[in-house]
Amino acid sequence: MTFLTPTYDLRVVAASFFIASFASFVALDLASRVATRDRRVARRWWASGALAMGTGIWSMHFVGMLAFTLPIPLGYMAAMTFVSWLAGVAVAAVALGVASRRDMHWMHVAAGALAMAVGIGVMHYAGMAALDMAPGIVWNRRLVLASVAVALVASGVALGVMHWFRRAERRRGLQLAAALVLGAALCSIHWTGMFAADFPQGAVCLSAGGLHGDSLGLLVSVSSMLVLTLTLYTSAVDARMEGRTMRMAASLKTANDELQAANEALRQRALTDPLTGLPNRVLFEDRLAQACKRRDRAAASAGRAAGAREPPRFAVLFVDLDGFKPVNDVLGHAAGDQVLQEAARRLRVAGRDNDTVARIGGDEFLLLAEGLGGVADATALAERLVKRLSRAFEVDGRRVHVSASIGVVVYPDHGQREQLVTRADAAMYAAKRAGGNTRAVFEPRMDEAGAERLNLHSELRMAIERRELKLHYQPKIDSTTGQIRGVEALLRWQHPERGNVSPVVFIPIAERFGLINEIGNWVIDEVCRQLHEWADEGMRTRVAINLSVHQLRQDDLVARIEAALRRHALDPSQLLCEVTESVAMGDPDTLQRVFDGLARIGVFISIDDFGTGYSCLINLRQLPAAQLKIDRSFINDIETSKDALAIVSAVVNLAHALGLKVVAEGVETAGQRDILIGMNCDEMQGFYFARPMAADSLHDWFLGNKPDGAADFSPSAMLEHIPT
Ligand code: C2E
Ligand code: MG
Ligand code: MG
């Protein structure tokens, strides 16, 4: 059989290759559009992409057919051409569907390639069948099979390339190269299929009146190119939008991450103490509430089970450092911080892993210890802590001693959840009142003490307003002559209901609640006024006032004292300032400034309560003090304790060597007086000579009228000797 000889219009062949490549180029873009996470958007892209790409593939085929001519007129049946177009779209739908899969597996590639090959086959052979030939086309089976094989391989390759490209770095150059490869693959399928067809000599095309002609080819190519271009454009815009959305999402995520980090930091700050890193009160309360719930639940289920053992209890320990305030006041805040950090560490180490140690204020800590048998366990733990905290602290090469007072409560023995911390605090106060460096277990009577402190604070405020504070004066006696060397002004609070409230009680409250400066300023003024009044009555003496460390930090302290002296026409030497030893030895800069200022205006300084701090005697040399007052605890023991005797004697000798006068505080007996005189102690002060008394009483006392309760000592002989 002889066959008609086909001719090919190479320009049209080139156009079909171009269309195939362009369709592939668009397909590569589309695969990633279809892969978008938004299902609805993905479906839309898949459908419109399949239409565009399918049309592209089909028009490659159709234009390819138009490039083929026989020496007889040819035309295509519209219905079959439509079927072939449908097949092209189906192929594109499969290709896009498979290539955009996130979890692409070789099985998907295989199935996809098979479906595509079938689709391409249908497209091509339906397209060929649109040529209604008589006699029919003779098929070269081998080439038909080859065309199917090529379609299969090319489809697999196309899927692989599309999938790979979706993940690869998007570069247009790469996309173009890939598109050319795919275009060539598509064309090769087409042309293998074309070569498989032979047209017998004498055959005629019955559908020659159907779709045909160059203009149709142009129309198909141009319209499919248009569709593809539009699709590509939309895809590019969409990609850019998606990129922007993704960037926005990424920056939102970053912002969100930062927000979360900030939130976490804030939460940390809100729940932990920055100095020690321990939980703060808020977190502690939370843990406490949980512990209560756990214990209640355990108790309830133990109650239901017959013969079950009682569940373990837990304890709350309120830890307050003794003697911390002077460390902070004297050695400065940095040293104070070091002590607190070390104390926190010791508490943490002493507790068990699941115990909660929290810092709730200056030198106050709370410890929550679960799984205890009862009060005995809690007490043992508290004692361990007391011991640990009483060991010396190393601060800048200096050994500092603080200790701890610990209050203990056990749940549920000592109250409800809301009462635990307050009661542990009350128990801590009891430990403190017992001298500190110990622990106390809560007892119902302690409840009153906490409320008492708060009451005192508000009452003290009122007392200042109502001028209920008064000054009493206690004489200081010259040991050798028996003359009065001066008096010490001591605050008294005559409370309308409570009676006398000791300064030992209310001065710390005034210091804690910021009332001390107001009180201290009043004392300065009142003492100067009193001195002036006495001077008018013919009594000239010297008064010592007690200064709190808070007053020393007042910038205008010296100026204020100077002004008061001037206002009342007093000689500065009539005023003496007593500063406790622990204060006098610390915070060198502030103190030096104040001491220099006082020395400049001619006011002397006395070191009070000497022996209670942790200073070294040698340091005394650095202070511009005129006087040293030995604490009354030593004087108290001087008749019975050899140590006390030795210490007092050493202090007197050293102070003298340094040019300081020595005053013994708290002299209560003739025996003490005699020992002190034997030691050459310069002055004495104490109940043995006179109790602190009101200004009027002091006047009477000078005149020899012994006030009620005054010691059996008459200063009348010395009246005329009041030093000038
Ligand atoms: P201080 O400065 O060491 O005062 C001496 C304390 O010892 C006074 O207690 C005094 O009444 C008491 N005392 C004197 N002789 C004897 C004695 O023979 N036996 C005994 N057992 N005690 C004696 P007071 O008046 O209760 O004052 C206690 C502390 O309160 C003072 O100790 C001082 O530190 C502080 N204070 C008093 N008035 C003021 C003040 O105006 N300002 C400041 N900042 N503190 C003051
Ligand atoms: Mg004093
Ligand atoms: Mg004293």
Side-chain angles (χ1 to χ4, degrees):
M1 192 188 288
T2 52
F3 298 106
L4 295 170
T5 314
T7 51
Y8 300 95
D9 182 339
L10 282 181
R11 279 175 309 161
V12 184
V13 170
S16 97
F17 171 67
F18 179 73
I19 294 173
S21 302
F22 192 38
S24 305
F25 190 86
V26 177
L28 289 173
D29 247 40
L30 287 174
S32 51
R33 301 294 86 220
V34 179
T36 178
R37 282 181 191 278
D38 185 332
R39 288 236 168 149
R40 253 187 24 206
V41 176
R43 258 203 304 274
R44 255 185 257 149
W45 268 115
W46 178 69
S48 54
L51 270 179
M53 182 184 155
T55 306
I57 297 173
W58 170 81
S59 73
M60 171 278 300
H61 151 84
F62 191 72
V63 172
M65 298 280 283
L66 293 179
F68 157 91
T69 45
L70 287 173
I72 53 168
L74 291 177
Y76 296 87
M77 289 190 296
M80 267 327 228
T81 305
F82 181 68
V83 170
S84 133
W85 173 80
L86 269 186
V89 172
V91 168
V94 171
L96 284 177
V98 174
S100 63
R101 283 190 78 95
R102 289 182 187 283
D103 56 339
M104 199 160 93
H105 192 253
W106 70 267
M107 293 277 283
H108 298 126
V109 180
L114 197 65
M116 278 171 74
V118 171
I120 291 172
V122 171
M123 176 183 78
H124 184 76
Y125 292 106
M128 295 289 278
L131 281 175
D132 190 6
M133 301 300 292
I137 301 170
V138 177
W139 295 102
N140 178 333
R141 289 208 183 156
R142 270 204 268 152
L143 279 177
V144 169
L145 280 178
S147 82
V148 173
V150 171
L152 202 62
V153 173
S155 299
V157 170
L159 285 177
V161 171
M162 277 165 83
H163 185 75
W164 160 77
F165 184 75
R166 187 157 67 74
R167 285 154 182 248
E169 212 184 314
R170 333 219 76 220
R171 264 185 279 140
R172 288 296 186 200
L174 205 64
Q175 188 175 0
L176 187 65
L180 289 174
V181 171
L182 291 179
L186 278 173
C187 286
S188 61
I189 303 169
H190 175 79
W191 293 110
T192 338
M194 289 299 283
F195 295 141
D198 283 319
F199 299 85
Q201 199 78 48
V204 286
C205 178
L206 299 179
S207 54
L211 307 170
H212 72 278
D214 286 354
S215 50
L216 176 70
L218 199 64
L219 184 74
V220 168
S221 356
V222 169
S223 51
S224 67
M225 292 295 276
L226 261 178
V227 170
L228 286 169
T229 308
L230 202 68
T231 310
L232 184 65
Y233 173 75
T234 321
S235 164
V237 170
D238 192 62
R240 177 165 295 191
M241 294 277 287
E242 191 185 64
R244 191 179 303 162
T245 315
M246 264 159 64
R247 271 197 303 281
M248 265 169 70
S251 73
L252 265 180
K253 190 178 171 311
T254 319
N256 199 34
D257 288 353
E258 278 168 16
L259 205 71
Q260 266 182 2
N263 252 342
E264 180 56 26
L266 270 180
R267 208 181 66 87
Q268 279 288 328
R269 266 234 308 250
L271 296 180
T272 51
D273 163 50
L275 177 67
T276 56
L278 292 179
N280 65 9
R281 185 166 203 139
V282 180
L283 187 52
F284 184 86
E285 291 286 350
D286 186 57
R287 301 243 171 109
L288 181 61
Q290 286 169 16
C292 285
K293 266 194 213 142
R294 267 197 297 279
R295 156 73 209 197
D296 290 348
R297 241 179 287 146
S301 57
R304 281 195 299 275
R309 285 214 346 234
E310 228 205 310
R313 290 143 201 259
F314 69 81
V316 172
L317 273 57
F318 197 114
V319 183
D320 185 286
L321 301 182
D322 311 320
F324 173 72
K325 204 170 150 309
V327 173
N328 216 27
D329 291 346
V330 170
L331 302 181
H333 288 289
D337 287 354
Q338 283 181 47
V339 170
L340 288 174
Q341 282 164 336
E342 172 62 12
R345 196 193 61 78
R346 291 186 194 178
L347 287 171
R348 236 183 344 228
V349 171
R352 285 156 312 169
D353 282 350
N354 52 349
D355 290 351
T356 298
V357 182
R359 178 173 172 233
I360 57 160
D363 58 351
E364 293 171 339
F365 298 87
L366 280 171
L367 194 128
L368 173 71
E370 288 186 76
L372 298 179
V375 174
D377 284 356
T379 314
L381 173 63
E383 276 166 5
R384 273 207 308 280
L385 294 179
V386 166
K387 215 169 182 178
R388 273 174 187 267
L389 290 168
S390 68
R391 280 187 218 133
F393 289 69
E394 194 83 26
V395 176
D396 298 334
R398 216 174 186 178
R399 281 165 77 81
V400 174
H401 286 276
V402 295
S403 54
S405 299
I406 301 183
V408 181
V409 290
V410 171
Y411 184 80
D413 310 42
H414 293 135
Q416 298 303 307
R417 182 211 148 326
E418 313 75 49
Q419 298 170 312
L420 294 176
V421 173
T422 324
R423 292 188 160 172
D425 185 16
M428 181 281 289
Y429 246 81
K432 198 143 268 207
R433 271 202 305 277
N437 197 24
T438 186
R439 48 77 195 160
V441 178
F442 174 77
E443 289 169 34
R445 65 177 170 79
M446 294 171 180
D447 258 343
E448 291 148 28
E452 168 89 349
R453 278 200 310 282
L454 277 179
N455 287 344
L456 266 180
H457 166 219
S458 57
E459 287 170 12
L460 183 59
R461 267 183 192 287
M462 286 199 296
I464 296 169
E465 285 165 21
R466 294 189 198 151
R467 304 188 169 276
E468 281 170 16
L469 296 183
K470 298 273 174 295
L471 282 174
H472 277 198
Y473 299 88
Q474 187 180 33
K476 294 178 181 172
I477 309 298
D478 187 306
S479 305
T480 42
T481 66
Q483 291 174 344
I484 296 173
R485 304 290 301 178
V487 293
E488 177 175 7
L490 294 160
L491 269 169
R492 291 294 174 264
W493 178 11
Q494 182 66 39
H495 191 283
E497 285 132 36
R498 297 172 190 268
N500 264 329
V501 183
S502 163
V504 180
V505 174
F506 72 81
I507 295 286
I509 291 178
E511 287 179 331
R512 180 161 180 186
F513 294 103
L515 303 172
I516 191 67
N517 283 343
E518 197 180 336
I519 295 178
N521 292 343
W522 175 79
V523 169
I524 294 168
D525 215 61
E526 173 59 15
V527 161
C528 290
R529 191 201 59 75
Q530 188 59 60
L531 275 169
H532 186 93
E533 194 180 303
W534 281 331
D536 286 347
E537 292 166 4
M539 272 174 40
R540 187 179 152 83
T541 189
R542 175 187 285 166
V543 179
I545 57 170
N546 291 283
L547 290 182
S548 152
V549 69
H550 297 265
Q551 287 177 276
L552 295 179
R553 295 208 194 100
Q554 271 183 304
D555 284 340
D556 60 349
L557 178 69
V558 174
R560 187 178 285 277
I561 291 175
E562 196 177 16
L565 289 169
R566 201 173 306 132
R567 195 162 49 245
H568 297 285
L570 300 173
D571 190 299
S573 66
Q574 287 181 268
L575 198 67
L576 195 73
C577 289
E578 293 192 5
V579 178
T580 57
E581 177 204 3
S582 53
V583 171
M585 292 301 175
D587 194 4
D589 296 341
T590 315
L591 283 165
Q592 201 60 49
R593 188 172 50 77
V594 179
F595 287 1
D596 288 350
L598 290 174
R600 183 172 44 74
I601 63 170
V603 172
F604 292 113
I605 290 159
S606 177
I607 309 298
D608 206 354
D609 300 346
F610 192 83
T612 54
Y614 41 84
S615 60
C616 164
L617 277 175
I618 299 300
N619 292 348
L620 282 176
R621 222 182 327 188
Q622 297 156 9
L623 291 172
Q627 196 177 73
L628 198 72
K629 296 181 78 176
I630 302 176
D631 190 68
R632 71 166 182 265
S633 56
F634 295 97
I635 310 304
N636 199 30
D637 293 348
I638 204 170
E639 289 174 286
T640 50
S641 154
K642 281 203 174 110
D643 284 348
L645 188 72
I647 290 168
V648 173
S649 159
V651 170
V652 172
N653 289 335
L654 191 82
H656 282 165
L658 294 170
L660 298 171
K661 297 274 184 221
V662 182
V663 181
E665 287 185 314
V667 179
E668 293 185 358
T669 67
Q672 291 166 353
R673 179 201 61 184
D674 293 343
I675 292 172
L676 289 163
I677 289 174
M679 283 178 180
N680 288 329
C681 178
D682 302 282
E683 293 174 29
M684 290 174 285
Q685 178 183 354
F687 295 170
Y688 176 72
F689 304 102
R691 287 179 180 263
M693 57 191 107
D696 312 346
S697 311
L698 185 77
H699 192 247
D700 290 350
W701 188 75
F702 276 154
L703 298 172
N705 303 327
K706 197 169 73 131
D708 282 351
D712 203 12
F713 172 82
S714 170
S716 53
M718 295 176 254
L719 182 60
E720 59 277 22
H721 300 300
I722 287 176
T724 54

